[in-house]
Amino acid sequence: MSGKTSGGPGTLLVSAGHAHGVSGSSVNPPVHRASTFLFDTLAAFETASRTPFDGPFYGRVGTPTTFAFEQAIAELEGGHRSIATSSGVAAISAVFLAFLDKGDHVLVVDTVYDPVRRFCGRMLSRLGIETTFYHPAMGAEIETLIRPQTRLIYMESPGSGTFDMQDVAAIVAVAKARGLRTAIDATWATPLFMKPLALGVDVSIHAATKYIVGHSDAMLGVLTANAETYDAVRRSTQDLGACAGSEECNLGLRGLRTLEVRLRHHEAAAIDIASWLEGRPQVARVLHPGLPSFPGHDIWKRQLSGSCGLFAVELVDSDPASVRSLVDGLRHFKIGFSWGGYESLILPMHPEKARQVARWDGKGALLRLHVGLETVSDLKADLAAGLERLRPL
Ligand SMILES: *Cc1c(COP(=O)(O)O)cnc(C)c1O
């Protein structure tokens, strides 16, 4: 494994996690498929089995490929160590279970990714762990929700569906004063545009399935912990058996090399399209943290250094059948789950269904767009034709 890389983000992305130096070696490290690793002596086996694992021991613990991916993410995040998991949700579940015990209480942002809300309602409540969902606009006031049993504050910024920004620094200050752990899902920001550990967060989580893999062809999660929390989250991922495969980590590593150029294109194209949509008569609101009109824009400017291709538009209240025909008739924006690949996607969002405190007050349909790498003028023409299909109620 390489040591710490110096240079700008692009340089770091190209070289992080690389074990170079051997003349004639391939640019990319080979994919190491393995369950069993062999040792010459029992003593060597025993040394390799000691935690923290610094080299191959057993496939579930890691392979040279998974270690290389973890090393690269740890460098990017400026964290103690990173752990690759089988999916983003696996990383998130492992973090909850690392810090929470029977009788504990956890604060979770109300704009959380839906499967995480389900995890709280099913798995955590079965284990006797209580969840309170808090409003994403809460900063220091989150203190009023802390109970003697509270152990963890779980953030996601920007949040899912409506992209609400959280004041991470203010929440971390409260958590530190009260001895609570903090974790954040920073998937939208990617490890490039936000540095949660520098803001004092204990664990940063990414659905690498999205921009890190970047081509919609693998499931992968990754978390990065500081030195105080690493052992706990490591035990949790191991107990769950939530390890990532070598093939997936290899795709994650390959994605990292082009992450900055892809993101810069997604960012510019999405800002262009979002600003253009703001001026369309069929659009009530555009929800994009990078737009000056967005309520959380100031926090975005303070805590992130860029934006991605994912945002939402609220349409003016229209005939529901015409909203379906808008979506169904698009040629370039495909209908599908997930985002972060090279392709443009569209999906209706329903934040009114699950939220408890951050009530969605929109009247018209809410459509989430992922702006891919297609030619921007083609995407705009596609959306313009779609908006023409809308009919008033
Ligand atoms: C997709 C997503 C996840 C889950 O990642 P998977 O790899 O699909 O399990 C978690 N958080 C956010 C914000 C996501 O968009």
Side-chain angles (χ1 to χ4, degrees), residues 17-301:
H18 253 316
H20 273 153
V22 184
S23 171
S25 63
S26 58
V27 169
N28 293 299
V31 184
H32 227 102
R33 298 190 191 95
S35 56
T36 299
F37 293 91
L38 302 176
F39 299 90
D40 287 340
T41 63
L42 204 47
F45 174 84
E46 284 159 1
T47 305
S49 72
R50 265 182 225 132
T51 53
F53 299 97
D54 284 315
F57 166 63
Y58 177 52
R60 187 176 354 94
V61 169
T63 70
T65 312
T66 63
F67 288 137
F69 176 66
E70 292 171 348
Q71 162 101 16
I73 296 288
E75 280 187 45
L76 272 172
E77 293 258 53
H80 174 62
R81 290 176 85 122
S82 300
I83 303 168
T85 58
S86 50
S87 69
V89 166
I92 294 164
S93 311
V95 169
F96 277 100
L97 295 174
F99 298 129
L100 298 170
D101 214 337
K102 190 175 175 190
D104 286 347
H105 172 241
V106 56
L107 291 168
V108 175
V109 68
D110 202 29
T111 42
V112 74
Y113 182 63
D114 264 341
V116 180
R117 186 188 302 276
R118 288 197 286 275
F119 175 83
C120 296
R122 295 200 293 238
M123 187 78 77
L124 291 188
S125 61
R126 235 169 61 207
L127 297 174
I129 297 160
E130 202 183 331
T131 306
T132 299
F133 293 98
Y134 64 89
H135 199 286
M138 279 189 138
E141 320 84 78
I142 201 165
E143 180 137 35
T144 59
L145 300 178
I146 296 174
R147 306 176 190 171
Q149 301 81 8
T150 310
R151 296 284 171 270
L152 171 70
I153 302 178
Y154 181 88
M155 298 169 268
E156 183 181 317
S157 183
S160 282
T162 47
F163 306 94
D164 308 60
M165 294 298 307
Q166 292 200 251
D167 191 339
V168 176
I171 291 173
V172 165
V174 170
K176 283 199 186 303
R178 300 290 295 264
L180 309 183
R181 292 302 181 194
T182 50
I184 188 167
D185 179 336
T187 299
W188 190 91
T190 81
L192 211 55
F193 291 156
M194 189 184 189
K195 305 290 175 188
L197 284 105
L199 290 169
V201 180
D202 290 308
V203 186
S204 162
I205 306 168
H206 289 279
T209 306
K210 310 288 164 59
Y211 283 117
I212 294 176
V213 165
H215 295 72
S216 306
D217 53 4
M219 300 299 299
L220 184 64
V222 66
L223 60 86
T224 304
N226 57 19
E228 297 84 76
T229 57
Y230 174 74
D231 286 346
V233 291
R234 179 77 209 186
R235 277 194 294 274
S236 185
T237 55
Q238 283 297 302
D239 289 346
L240 289 168
C243 59
S246 290
E247 296 287 354
E248 283 71 17
C249 285
N250 180 58
L251 292 172
L253 266 178
R254 192 181 61 172
L256 280 183
R257 309 305 175 203
T258 59
L259 182 63
E260 189 180 24
V261 285
R262 284 187 286 114
L263 272 177
R264 291 295 175 198
H265 185 99
H266 286 291
E267 173 176 49
I271 291 275
D272 183 344
I273 291 174
S275 315
W276 169 78
L277 282 168
E278 271 195 317
R280 312 296 299 182
Q282 301 94 336
V283 171
R285 240 188 310 189
V286 179
L287 305 176
H288 185 313
L291 292 183
S293 60
F294 190 71
H297 182 66
D298 283 347
I299 300 182
W300 171 80
K301 270 212 296 220

